[in-house]
């Protein structure tokens, strides 16, 4: 089998099975495991998959810049945003991450809501500013342009002074074994700090994030309280997530 044929097969298997085990595929094809690892390495360099120990997982489409991500699964994200906004109660301190789904939460918060919202996203802060009764706290730091959020030591130092009721965490990958992941090391550290300083963490994940993984781990899936996913998420995927012990909510 030619290299291009093997790579095509690998991507097909990822789409159908959700993972590649290098040793098993090498035995099946009658080639060396080194050949499979080389194929995986080259496909990872093209951002077509995420290498893990012993094989690969699907790469997340959510690694694209924010402007592009806003065009991915827009209906899913509106529904997710509506469900997330409905979880917020008057008087709470909530944290909104950056990203296109967080923007939808901000847009769906009730116009008359009185609460405190903390964010490290300038984009989300502008959207929140349209709600006249919100107290808005913007965390400073170095601007990570890919997601338009502030990150770094300054951001983490400010987070240490916050005790939030709910943190709506943004991720690029949600995988039953690989956990919650994102594409930047410092951004992952900020997300973990926000999670550790919140009573409850909620992840709202559009379909392209489910079963996918990125390079940097934030936390295991069962570290969060609630995972909100699209209504049409396959039953098999729902079962995998429920097996971790988290509360799974379908957004309709």
């Amino acid at each position: 089998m030619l290299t291009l044929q093997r790579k095509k097969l690998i991507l097909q298997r990822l789409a159908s099975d959700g993972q590649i085990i290098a040793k098993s595929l090498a035995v099946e094809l009658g080639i060396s495991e080194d050949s499979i690892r080389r194929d995986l390495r080259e496909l990872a360099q093209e951002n077509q998959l995420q290498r893990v120990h012993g094989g690969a997982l699907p790469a997340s489409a959510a690694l694209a810049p924010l402007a592009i991500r806003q065009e991915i699964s827009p209906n899913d994200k509106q529904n997710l945003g509506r469900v997330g906004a409905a979880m917020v109660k008057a008087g709470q301190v909530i944290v909104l991450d950056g990203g296109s789904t967080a923007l939808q939460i901000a847009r769906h918060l009730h116009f008359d809501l009185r609460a405190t919202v903390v964010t490290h996203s300038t984009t989300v802060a502008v959207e929140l500013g349209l709600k006249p009764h919100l107290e808005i706290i913007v965390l400073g730091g170095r601007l990570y342009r890919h997601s338009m959020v502030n990150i770094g030591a300054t951001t983490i130092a400010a987070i240490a002074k916050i005790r939030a009721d709910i943190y709506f965490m943004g991720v690029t990958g949600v995988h039953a074994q690989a956990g919650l992941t994102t594409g930047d090391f410092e951004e992952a550290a900020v997300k973990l700090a926000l999670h550790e300083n919140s009573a409850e963490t909620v992840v709202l994940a559009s379909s392209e994030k489910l079963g996918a993984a990125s390079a940097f781990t934030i936390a295991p899936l069962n570290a969060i309280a609630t995972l909100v996913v699209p209504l049409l998420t396959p039953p098999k995927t729902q079962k995998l997530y429920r097996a971790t012990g988290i509360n799974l909510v379908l957004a309709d």
Side-chain angles (χ1 to χ4, degrees):
M1 182 179 286
L2 299 175
T3 300
L4 288 176
Q5 292 174 312
R6 287 201 311 270
K7 289 182 177 180
K8 183 177 180 180
L9 176 64
I10 286 170
L11 295 177
Q12 289 172 341
R13 290 288 179 86
L14 274 177
S16 62
D17 300 343
Q19 66 176 349
I20 290 292
I21 299 175
K23 185 175 182 179
S24 298
L25 186 58
V27 171
E28 177 185 338
L29 299 180
I31 60 176
S32 71
E33 194 173 340
D34 283 342
S35 296
I36 296 296
R37 284 199 294 265
R38 182 171 61 251
D39 292 341
L40 296 179
R41 183 167 58 249
E42 292 173 358
L43 286 167
Q45 289 170 349
E46 299 167 8
N47 295 319
Q48 297 197 64
L49 54 77
Q50 177 63 51
R51 293 179 70 201
V52 295
H53 181 71
L57 297 174
S60 174
L63 288 171
L66 180 59
I68 295 175
R69 297 203 307 273
Q70 289 177 341
E71 304 301 320
I72 300 174
S73 306
N75 292 332
D76 280 356
K77 291 174 182 177
Q78 287 179 19
N79 293 335
L80 292 168
R82 190 179 302 110
V83 171
M87 295 179 178
V88 179
K89 309 301 181 186
Q92 286 186 321
V93 176
I94 71 166
V95 178
L96 269 186
D97 213 325
S100 50
T101 304
L103 272 173
Q104 289 297 329
I105 298 174
R107 287 170 184 163
H108 283 92
L109 290 173
H110 196 281
F111 185 78
D112 293 325
L113 177 68
R114 296 179 183 273
T116 299
V117 186
V118 181
T119 186
H120 60 308
S121 165
T122 52
T123 309
V124 170
V126 169
E127 187 68 35
L128 291 169
L130 300 176
K131 308 293 170 67
H133 303 300
L134 292 178
E135 181 75 19
I136 304 165
I137 299 173
V138 183
L139 305 177
R142 178 176 65 84
L143 181 64
Y144 176 45
R145 287 182 174 84
H146 174 273
S147 299
M148 294 302 291
V149 294
N150 295 326
I151 59 174
T154 300
T155 313
I156 291 177
I159 292 168
K161 301 176 182 178
I162 296 168
R163 292 294 179 269
D165 295 295
I166 306 177
Y167 167 37
F168 292 98
M169 179 194 288
V171 300
T172 58
V174 180
H175 193 278
Q177 284 76 48
L180 305 164
T181 55
T182 192
D184 181 82
F185 179 76
E186 284 192 85
E187 188 180 24
V190 169
K191 291 176 187 293
L192 178 59
L194 288 167
H195 164 67
E196 291 177 339
N197 283 273
S198 300
E200 178 181 357
T201 296
V202 176
V203 171
L204 300 97
S206 46
S207 53
E208 77 279 0
K209 300 176 183 178
L210 302 180
S214 299
F216 300 100
T217 300
I218 304 163
L221 188 54
N222 62 7
I224 65 173
T226 302
L227 174 64
V228 186
V229 299
L231 179 64
L232 298 180
T233 298
K236 180 181 177 181
T237 304
Q238 294 182 39
K239 184 178 180 180
L240 282 173
Y241 292 148
R242 286 197 171 99
T244 67
I246 63 171
N247 177 37
L248 186 71
V249 175
L250 302 180
D252 55 15

